[in-house]
Amino acid sequence: MLGFHGRRYLITGVLNQDSIAWHTARALQDAGAEVLLTGFGRARRITEKAAGVLPRPTEVLELDVTRPEDFARLVKDLEQRWGGVDGVLHAVAAAQQTALSGNFLTTPPEAAGLALRTAAVSLHSLATALAPLLSAHGRRGSVVGLDFDASGAWAGYDWMGVGKAALGAVCRYLAMYLGPSGIRVNLVAAGPVETVAGQAISTFDRIADRWQAEAPLGWDRTDPAVVVGPVLFLLSDLAATVSGEILHADGGMHAVRMGTGPAFAEGGAA
């Protein structure tokens, strides 16, 4: 029903096997799709190691989302290899320590700008660069980005939280402007998962512990694969009429602001 056999997908943001992006790439390959990964700089070697342990080892293409020339080279490479792309996973974000972990009031503008550029503007750069390939030869491609609930403020998440709020707005505008080309743009707002990115947040353990204790469906912070299903849904034709959406894959935590913890431990609310 998902219909991935023979389709081609670009996966960004793979650093190691603990990333949601890596597990998505593996699931797509298991479903019969071709995948390529992206990486950049010194970290690219780590990405290449992760690409080598996929069910079918694949290549890693250079992409630093702060370098416009990388997008031009990436599009040319994909056009020569595939001629078109059926979908892309945006799993990229970065912030300096001065923009995180309680430093919000003193964050330099340059550091705030980097968080916004990598978390939100990069989705625009990626989607618009790949748009001709996502609609090539009658394709109706899908762009999916990884998100974290930005409807409120999270202590310590700071400018990355602002970046994720901007990401939601960028998603909606891309859905509006790319929709006439048949391209869908959606986000998956995951609960906290123990990844390299999460380790940079000083309050990560406090947030993740609350999630595990209070999410209605429970939450396993150690399992990045729990988010893969919703990502695959949005990449597939099952979501052919879905665009501009933020799909929460967080154990239901976004729906229960107080959680289901101590206030309900003794028989529920009156």
Side-chain angles (χ1 to χ4, degrees):
M1 291 180 66
L2 293 173
F4 290 124
H5 186 76
R7 294 194 175 185
R8 293 159 170 173
Y9 295 87
L10 181 70
I11 308 297
T12 71
V14 171
L15 185 59
N16 55 36
Q17 291 173 252
D18 294 329
S19 66
I20 296 170
W22 185 88
H23 283 274
T24 300
R26 184 180 71 173
L28 285 168
Q29 285 191 341
D30 287 342
E34 294 182 56
V35 300
L36 288 168
L37 311 185
T38 71
F40 73 97
R42 289 179 293 179
R44 181 172 170 176
R45 294 183 179 180
I46 303 175
T47 303
E48 288 171 344
K49 290 182 179 179
V53 294
L54 285 168
R56 295 191 302 279
T58 189
E59 293 185 60
V60 178
L61 307 181
E62 184 78 12
L63 178 62
D64 178 345
V65 296
T66 67
R67 292 166 52 92
E69 60 269 29
D70 280 11
F71 287 101
R73 183 170 53 247
L74 175 69
V75 170
K76 183 177 180 180
D77 195 344
L78 290 172
E79 188 172 24
Q80 291 174 345
R81 289 170 183 264
W82 286 345
V85 176
D86 294 292
V88 57
L89 176 66
H90 176 278
V92 180
Q96 298 173 351
Q97 201 57 40
T98 55
L100 301 169
S101 303
N103 293 313
F104 183 82
L105 296 179
T106 58
T107 299
E110 297 78 11
L114 177 65
L116 286 167
R117 185 173 184 181
T118 58
V121 178
S122 63
L123 178 66
H124 174 274
S125 301
L126 184 65
T128 55
L130 294 182
L133 298 178
L134 288 163
S135 59
H137 310 297
R139 284 179 169 84
R140 299 177 65 84
S142 174
V143 178
V144 177
L146 295 184
D147 193 13
F148 187 75
D149 183 30
S151 59
W154 296 99
Y157 205 43
D158 297 348
W159 281 98
M160 186 52 62
V162 176
K164 293 298 187 182
L167 179 68
V170 172
C171 170
R172 290 186 288 273
Y173 276 93
L174 285 171
M176 178 170 64
Y177 284 111
L178 294 179
S181 298
I183 299 170
R184 297 176 286 114
V185 186
N186 296 286
L187 303 177
V188 174
V193 177
E194 293 180 0
T195 62
V196 172
Q199 293 171 4
I201 311 297
S202 65
T203 54
F204 176 85
D205 285 338
R206 181 150 52 101
I207 294 171
D209 286 347
R210 179 185 172 192
W211 227 278
Q212 289 197 163
E214 300 186 21
L217 293 176
W219 185 253
D220 185 354
R221 58 189 281 183
T222 68
D223 185 8
V226 298
V227 185
V228 171
V231 173
L232 294 186
F233 164 69
L234 291 175
L235 286 173
S236 77
D237 288 344
L238 291 177
T241 60
V242 180
S243 195
E245 184 62 77
I246 299 178
L247 175 58
H248 289 81
D250 63 356
M253 189 65 172
H254 73 284
V256 287
R257 295 299 183 185
M258 291 179 61
T260 57
F264 301 96
E266 298 181 3

